[in-house]
Amino acid sequence: MHPLLEGLTDAQREAVDHVEGPLLILAGPGSGKTRVITHRVAWLLHQGVPAHQILALTFTNKAADEMRSRVERLADEQSVWLSTFHRFCARLLRKYAPAVGLQENYTIYDTGDSSQTLRRVIGRLRIEAAGFTPDTMAKAISWAKNNLITPSQYEPRPGHPFGAVVQRVYPAYQAQLLACNAVDFDDLLLHVATLLRDNPEIRQSLDERYRFVLVDEYQDTNLAQYAIARALSIDHPNLAVTGDPDQSIYGWRGANLNNILEFERDFPEVRVVRLERNYRSTKRILRVASQLIAHNIRRKEKNLYTENGEGQPVRLIRYSTHKDEAEGIAARIAADVHSGRRRPRDFAVFYRVNALSRALEFALRDLGLPYQMVNGLEFFQRREIKDVLAYLQLLNNPHDEIALLRVINTPNRGIGKTTIERLSAYGSRHGLTLLESARRARQVESLSGRSISLVGKFVALFDRLASVAGGPIEEVLGFVLSETGYQERLKASKEEEDLQRLANIEELLTVAREYDERHLGEGRLEEFLEESCLVNDTDDWEVDVDRVTLMTLHASKGLEFPVVYLVAVEEGLLPHERSRQIAEQLEEERRLMFVGVTRAQEELQISLAEYRDFRGQRKMTVPSPFLMELPREEMALQDVYLGESLPAESVYETPRAPRREPPAAARAALSAPLTTAAELANGGEPAAAVAPDAFHQDMLVRHPQYGLGRIVALSGAGAGRKATVDFTSTAGRKKFVLAESPVRPVKP
């Protein structure tokens, strides 16, 4: 037997060695799905399929990265395009942008930028109808795009005034995006789907190139993703999809469960393989999960089983308050950690909504337990990160009005709202972008001389930054921070919040440096911005750090932990209050709980509180109806009444608070030998050379010839790391290869 097929079950082997024709892999939780996908890709390569003819699509960057590394290990470093749907579409649009009215340097707007664009459009249309908020409008437009309805195709239902408003706003919003050479997240899919539909020659060429298409988590695809996968599998119908209807939890963002339920109708010749053996959980946990999900109607029957041990009963605990719940969980975790039985990274706590994490954070912190909250989107949504990236977006795409509005007065340059409105009005009259209007500020009669001068200085700043925009990303970012004064403003502040913002900017420099290292300094600005925009919830989850993990149930998809705590299993939270009257949504909430339960390997605790503070109110809770669907014989039930102490084995000495590690760049700088100004003034050299990677943005340095200076930009790594330094002397700005220069850090 070939090594790629060894160690696989019969069902796994059947899925791996299937080559030609459509394939549906129904993969239960913990059934080795990732192993099957990666071995299947490696098997296709072994069968002589060229790597460039294989396309594998999934939903998270972590899943794509893990699959890519596994395939490279299995297939002698052969490179297959493994990507998320959105990144695949983003790259495809770079090539075919003109076909949909874009330029290849288009900007991808995140939710905040899209919302701001929509608000501006609504303002221009002077729509003030009560109840028609930008958020509800955005949801309606997103729904239309996910269902492949373009602005010209949108038709409101008779007698629905809201639909009539959407019919006015949607085309204007889309026109504004095109004018800014921008797309929102939904456009990435819609543009590609319509591109493939309306351009038969492009569809045919891509179908010919990607003869073997694999789609992971197929139950989470929406109509646009379905259309893309189908369009790439007409001439060569070698579409292999993996998924589990019981784990479809993204209906709220457009996922269509029918895509997987009706796959056999789309491809009558399909081979169906069921992966039913669970390698992850104990028998008790699996029986609890199976009995829960059996209450759903819209599903494909599977008989999940495991050869793992029985394991402990699943704990179901009712606490008095949400605070007792958080403290009780923290105490159990601490007891296991301090006894040496477990490590912090063995534990995960899941909740339905992020707002429930606060009490858990306090409880873990009070006991000195290290933890990480998983929300990869959060970093790139922070104000300072969006500010700095907006400069890069404007450099990449000068048509980007939202980016310009963000940076034109950030940091404060005295350019007021009235000035911006007059520039915008001038641009509208003359068919100019906002940046072009700024360049013609002298021709805007309504502007004062002071305003013209301030706008002129901003344009000059933009031009200086544009002159270096083709360099390494870390270097470009460094110039932005230096030339704009953004970093200096934060350093001058004594506010704790500004110091935290400064640390976040340093982390962004690290992100840029890592990007440069991956691309050998030849990456493109548009690609870096694309990566920064298309992040997933779990992108910042660090697998190897020794911390308790806190995350939403949605973010937990695809992960596993030895011990799982599932909190707030109460009516209105799980299931969510919005699902109460809609059968399909109630089934999705049950699937969400099923996903949470099946993340547990060895131990599972489900809990609720009698009273919970939520949204500013303390309310008596109602147990979730899902609890009545669980098998009592598999569970250990416990009530913890107000004031009752925890078991004796949970009593322990409170440890010291965990030491918080500084950012990597700061650690490197702190460990580097420093050369004082006095040493250099006396002609002395430091006792040991300074590692090039120890230098960081804004570091104070000294050169024997040029004197004191400050690093304003960095690029490269190791022996090739370069620094651009602004000297206080007449030497001005110089660039050095740090390993070959006498530049040395000095104490400020």
Side-chain angles (χ1 to χ4, degrees):
M1 184 180 294
H2 192 277
L4 285 172
L5 303 178
E6 288 180 354
L8 301 177
T9 64
D10 291 342
Q12 290 175 333
R13 194 177 303 115
E14 183 182 359
V16 167
D17 67 10
H18 175 85
V19 177
E20 298 282 346
L23 174 67
L24 170 61
I25 304 171
L26 293 171
S31 60
K33 173 172 63 74
T34 301
R35 188 182 190 201
V36 169
I37 294 171
T38 53
H39 277 250
R40 174 172 165 74
V41 172
W43 183 254
L44 290 173
L45 293 168
H46 173 70
Q47 295 297 307
V49 177
H52 68 269
Q53 290 186 354
I54 302 173
L55 171 66
L57 300 172
T58 186
F59 279 81
T60 68
N61 298 316
K62 274 195 179 299
D65 292 343
E66 180 185 354
M67 289 181 187
R68 187 180 302 108
S69 63
R70 286 202 200 184
V71 169
E72 289 174 353
R73 289 197 301 269
L74 291 169
D76 299 325
E77 301 296 321
Q78 293 197 62
S79 182
V80 172
W81 196 343
L82 280 144
S83 172
T84 64
F85 259 104
H86 284 84
R87 285 196 173 178
F88 169 70
C89 291
R91 299 293 171 83
L92 213 56
L93 275 184
R94 299 288 178 201
K95 182 176 181 180
Y96 297 107
V100 295
L102 295 167
Q103 301 172 33
E104 67 174 15
N105 63 331
Y106 67 82
T107 300
I108 302 173
Y109 280 173
D110 64 15
T111 304
D113 295 334
S114 301
S115 178
Q116 187 176 352
T117 302
L118 190 58
R119 288 173 189 275
R120 288 174 64 80
V121 167
I122 292 173
R124 288 172 188 167
L125 294 176
R126 298 183 179 179
I127 295 174
E128 298 179 357
F132 300 155
T133 67
D135 286 344
T136 57
M137 200 73 64
K139 290 177 182 177
I141 292 174
S142 178
W143 175 88
K145 290 184 176 184
N146 283 330
N147 285 279
L148 301 180
I149 301 172
T150 63
S152 62
Q153 296 169 328
Y154 186 90
E155 293 184 2
R157 287 183 294 170
H160 284 72
F162 176 68
V165 176
V166 174
Q167 191 177 33
R168 288 180 60 199
V169 172
Y170 185 10
Y173 168 70
Q174 202 64 14
Q176 181 63 29
L177 288 176
L178 291 174
C180 292
N181 191 32
V183 300
D184 60 24
F185 289 143
D186 296 319
D187 278 334
L188 290 172
L189 303 176
L190 176 63
H191 281 321
V192 170
T194 54
L195 176 78
L196 295 172
R197 182 193 65 193
D198 298 341
N199 298 271
E201 68 288 348
I202 294 176
R203 188 215 62 76
Q204 188 174 9
S205 68
L206 291 171
D207 195 337
E208 177 66 24
R209 177 178 177 181
Y210 302 116
R211 293 193 175 196
F212 292 85
V213 178
L214 298 89
V215 179
D216 186 24
E217 304 288 5
Y218 193 67
Q219 77 280 349
D220 291 331
T221 54
N222 60 24
L223 186 59
Q225 290 160 330
Y226 166 84
I228 292 167
R230 287 283 280 136
L232 296 176
S233 309
I234 293 175
D235 304 324
H236 302 279
N238 303 317
L239 175 62
V241 304
T242 63
D244 179 8
D246 291 340
Q247 297 183 70
S248 178
I249 58 174
Y250 292 108
W252 53 275
R253 67 182 189 193
N256 190 337
L257 186 59
N258 289 328
N259 292 350
I260 192 167
L261 292 178
E262 299 178 5
F263 190 82
E264 291 133 303
R265 190 187 68 178
D266 292 336
F267 295 92
E269 304 300 318
V270 64
R271 175 181 290 184
V272 180
V273 177
R274 283 176 164 80
L275 303 182
E276 297 176 317
R277 179 180 173 182
N278 177 286
Y279 293 87
R280 176 185 298 152
S281 305
T282 64
K283 286 184 172 65
R284 285 184 183 272
I285 292 172
L286 197 60
R287 287 196 291 263
V288 167
S290 296
Q291 184 156 322
L292 171 69
I293 202 63
H295 288 78
N296 272 9
I297 296 172
R298 300 185 71 223
R299 60 190 299 261
K300 285 183 177 290
E301 194 67 35
K302 293 185 304 298
N303 296 309
L304 300 179
Y305 71 96
T306 183
E307 296 182 7
N308 296 336
E310 282 289 317
Q312 301 179 21
V314 172
R315 296 191 299 272
L316 174 57
I317 300 182
R318 183 171 64 178
Y319 294 93
S320 179
T321 69
H322 71 286
K323 185 178 180 183
D324 294 327
E325 178 184 52
E327 291 176 350
I329 289 171
R332 282 185 178 273
I333 293 173
D336 279 349
V337 169
H338 295 303
S339 70
R341 180 171 172 264
R342 299 278 189 192
R343 303 292 300 271
R345 66 183 174 211
D346 293 337
F347 300 92
V349 186
F350 301 152
Y351 33 79
R352 177 62 177 84
V353 292
N354 274 309
L356 295 171
S357 69
R358 188 164 172 265
L360 294 160
E361 289 183 78
F362 282 136
L364 293 170
R365 198 179 301 142
D366 285 347
L367 297 182
L369 288 166
Y371 67 90
Q372 60 175 331
M373 287 191 64
V374 178
N375 187 359
L377 299 173
E378 184 180 323
F379 176 78
F380 289 98
Q381 295 302 313
R382 290 169 181 160
R383 189 180 81 187
E384 60 277 8
I385 301 301
K386 292 202 67 171
D387 287 345
V388 176
L389 288 180
Y391 277 101
L392 300 189
Q393 288 168 342
L394 188 61
L395 290 172
N396 179 62
N397 174 18
H399 289 81
D400 188 345
E401 183 176 297
I402 296 300
L404 190 144
L405 289 171
R406 189 172 192 99
V407 303
I408 194 169
N409 201 40
T410 304
N412 192 308
R413 299 183 177 90
I415 301 175
K417 181 179 178 182
T418 301
T419 298
I420 295 171
E421 288 175 347
R422 289 172 178 172
L423 288 172
S424 181
Y426 179 85
S428 297
R429 290 195 303 270
H430 295 85
L432 302 173
T433 66
L434 195 53
L435 182 59
E436 289 168 338
S437 296
R439 290 191 184 282
R440 301 189 189 184
R442 292 186 179 279
Q443 301 175 28
V444 182
E445 295 179 357
S446 56
L447 289 183
S448 66
R450 179 177 180 275
S451 295
I452 291 171
S453 174
L454 293 172
V455 171
K457 288 179 180 179
F458 170 77
V459 172
L461 167 66
F462 172 82
D463 290 341
R464 288 199 305 275
L465 294 175
S467 68
V468 299
I473 307 304
E474 184 189 15
E475 185 174 89
V476 177
L477 196 55
F479 279 124
V480 167
L481 294 172
S482 174
E483 293 292 318
T484 62
Y486 196 101
Q487 188 172 26
E488 193 60 38
R489 295 281 182 96
L490 293 178
K491 285 188 67 176
S493 173
K494 297 183 187 290
E495 297 292 331
E496 179 64 31
E497 187 176 1
D498 285 337
L499 295 177
Q500 184 59 49
R501 288 177 179 150
L502 190 62
N504 291 335
I505 286 174
E506 290 170 353
E507 184 62 25
L508 183 62
L509 284 162
T510 300
V511 172
R513 180 179 176 183
E514 291 172 349
Y515 173 88
D516 287 334
E517 290 174 352
R518 288 200 312 273
H519 295 82
L520 303 177
E522 297 181 358
R524 296 187 302 171
L525 186 55
E526 64 191 34
E527 187 176 289
F528 173 74
L529 291 170
E530 180 184 299
E531 285 192 11
S532 301
C533 190
L534 298 180
V535 294
N536 304 122
D537 283 335
T538 56
D539 280 0
D540 68 340
W541 180 53
E542 299 182 55
V543 182
D544 298 325
V545 300
D546 201 11
R547 299 177 184 175
V548 178
T549 296
L550 305 180
M551 60 168 56
T552 65
L553 281 162
H554 283 99
S556 73
K557 181 81 170 290
L559 306 179
E560 60 184 23
F561 300 89
V563 185
V564 165
Y565 290 88
L566 179 50
V567 304
V569 185
E570 300 153 7
E571 179 70 59
L573 288 173
L574 186 65
H576 196 277
E577 60 185 354
R578 290 194 300 265
S579 67
R580 192 174 300 168
Q581 305 299 328
I582 304 173
E584 287 187 5
Q585 291 185 11
L586 190 63
E587 287 209 350
E588 180 160 317
E589 292 292 304
R590 188 179 286 110
R591 291 194 294 268
L592 188 58
M593 183 169 173
F594 173 78
V595 166
V597 169
T598 54
R599 300 310 96 191
Q601 295 171 296
E602 300 169 18
E603 296 180 43
L604 171 66
Q605 175 176 305
I606 299 170
S607 62
L608 65 157
E610 290 183 276
Y611 293 89
R612 185 171 301 278
D613 290 357
F614 189 64
R615 295 177 179 171
Q617 295 183 328
R618 169 165 290 194
K619 293 184 177 180
M620 189 172 186
T621 68
V622 176
S624 169
F626 296 157
L627 296 178
M628 300 300 294
E629 301 170 357
L630 304 180
R632 289 291 184 266
E633 65 276 10
E634 307 293 349
M635 308 182 72
L637 301 146
Q638 182 184 358
D639 271 343
V640 178
Y641 293 100
L642 183 63
E644 182 182 2
S645 62
L646 290 166
E649 61 266 26
S650 295
V651 180
Y652 55 88
E653 183 180 355
T654 302
R656 292 175 297 174
R659 182 168 59 89
R660 298 192 180 277
E661 292 289 329
R667 292 200 301 271
L670 289 170
S671 63
L674 295 179
T675 306
T676 65
E679 287 175 320
L680 285 172
N682 294 329
E685 288 292 328
V690 180
D693 290 346
F695 291 86
H696 59 81
Q697 177 77 18
D698 206 44
M699 177 182 272
L700 200 64
V701 296
R702 185 177 288 274
H703 187 281
Q705 180 180 350
Y706 305 126
L708 195 65
R710 190 175 296 277
I711 294 176
V712 296
L714 289 159
S715 63
R721 189 153 176 77
K722 301 179 181 69
T724 302
V725 182
D726 269 353
F727 290 100
T728 55
S729 65
T730 56
R733 180 170 290 183
K734 301 286 183 182
K735 193 169 186 175
F736 304 94
V737 177
L738 290 167
E740 302 170 3
S741 79
V743 171
R744 294 292 183 267
V746 299
K747 293 180 180 178

